[in-house]
Amino acid sequence: MHYEVVLPAAGSGKRMGAGQNKLFLTLLDKPILIHTLLVFEQDEACSGIWLAVKDTERDYIQSLIAKYNITKIKGLPTGGTERQHSVHSCLKEMKDVEIVLVHDAARPFITAPIIEKLADTAYEKGAAIAGVRAKDTMKIVREGIIKETVDRESLWMIQTPQAFRFNLLAEAEGAAEKVGFLGTDEAMLVERLGHEVYVVESSYDNVKITTQEDLIFGEAILKARAK
Ligand code: CTP
Ligand code: MG
């Protein structure tokens, strides 16, 4: 199933503490942002890439896009103060798209088979997100004291991509905006409408590069894949 992808890239990377947008840090030979862009550049089912960027970083990002020969960029709208606003800045410029994927630019290790499954499920069911089963025992803790051990069977750690029929996501976004609802991901906006969101089992490799130690995990993943 063909799709267009929205990549929010307008964050500041505070938790990384690198003093710059973490997406510009390199993993082995390339910036994180380029690793992510190349996945979609090389996926034949991807027919367009939308990148939400900061105004002050647009020129630099455009120079990277040229340097690494990324050809599928359809727009680089200005991101907002929250991730959801950045995603919105892309969605409002998209036209005639049936399936849209939203994927954190900070998750460079996503692979085509998972993307394909998400796009197909979104086409069939409306909404699909990537997730992995929780590995650790999970407990609800309040004020340092365990209140409850949660049944791990039903616990999933949610990632991106999240894939939607475009009209469904647009409707969910509009409804959220009306009441000023801010979700941590796009699925939450669709859940609010009472629409079912299907989970596609993803990979533990699909980490979000967030803090310094993730750079070490990231390079290890790249080295293992190169073998
Ligand atoms: N993002 C965005 N616009 C924002 C905030 C985040 O486009 N206002 C993007 C980031 O660039 C990243 C993705 O959303 O690709 C996931 O966000 P996160 O991992 O939290 O990145 P940052 O917000 O940059 O990091 P931090 O929260 O540590 O500041
Ligand atoms: Mg953030």
Side-chain angles (χ1 to χ4, degrees), residues 60-187:
Y60 179 60
I61 289 176
Q62 258 162 343
S63 74
L64 288 177
I65 288 168
K67 178 174 174 195
Y68 290 94
N69 214 354
I70 310 288
T71 64
K72 291 185 184 173
I73 304 286
K74 287 209 161 170
L76 297 109
T78 305
T81 47
E82 299 292 336
R83 184 182 168 287
Q84 185 176 318
H85 300 138
S86 296
V87 171
H88 176 75
S89 72
C90 293
L91 292 179
K92 71 175 203 264
E93 292 194 16
M94 295 170 76
K95 281 190 190 77
D96 302 323
V97 175
E98 195 167 12
I99 300 298
V100 57
L101 255 72
V102 180
H103 182 60
D104 294 325
R107 290 187 193 265
F109 307 118
I110 187 65
T111 56
I114 297 168
I115 293 171
E116 186 183 357
K117 215 162 169 201
L118 285 160
D120 288 350
T121 309
Y123 180 69
E124 255 175 63
K125 311 282 192 189
I129 62 175
V132 288
R133 293 172 193 277
K135 290 188 205 178
D136 294 334
T137 296
M138 304 288 234
K139 296 184 191 281
I140 294 175
V141 178
R142 281 195 202 95
E143 289 159 11
I145 297 162
I146 291 169
K147 295 295 166 198
E148 199 184 320
T149 299
V150 194
D151 172 25
R152 198 173 52 200
E153 273 303 289
S154 54
L155 285 178
W156 287 69
M157 300 187 291
I158 295 309
Q159 309 170 336
T160 69
Q162 310 202 345
F164 307 92
R165 277 186 172 276
F166 187 85
N167 292 343
L168 175 62
L169 182 57
E171 182 193 342
E173 260 224 321
E177 204 174 347
K178 228 181 204 168
V179 296
F181 177 85
L182 209 59
T184 51
D185 66 4
E186 282 59 52

Side-chain angles (χ1 to χ4, degrees), residues 11-15 22 82-83 208 210:
S12 23
K14 283 206 191 80
R15 286 169 288 177
K22 63 187 178 181
E82 299 292 336
R83 184 182 168 287
K208 183 157 69 70
T210 306

Side-chain angles (χ1 to χ4, degrees), residues 186-218:
E186 282 59 52
M188 275 178 81
L189 311 185
V190 172
E191 289 161 41
R192 278 185 75 242
L193 297 184
H195 196 289
E196 283 175 336
V197 179
Y198 285 73
V199 179
V200 165
E201 191 151 15
S202 172
S203 160
Y204 292 106
D205 275 6
N206 182 26
V207 289
K208 183 157 69 70
I209 306 289
T210 306
T211 53
Q212 288 285 333
E213 57 274 16
D214 295 327
L215 298 172
I216 302 170
F217 302 149

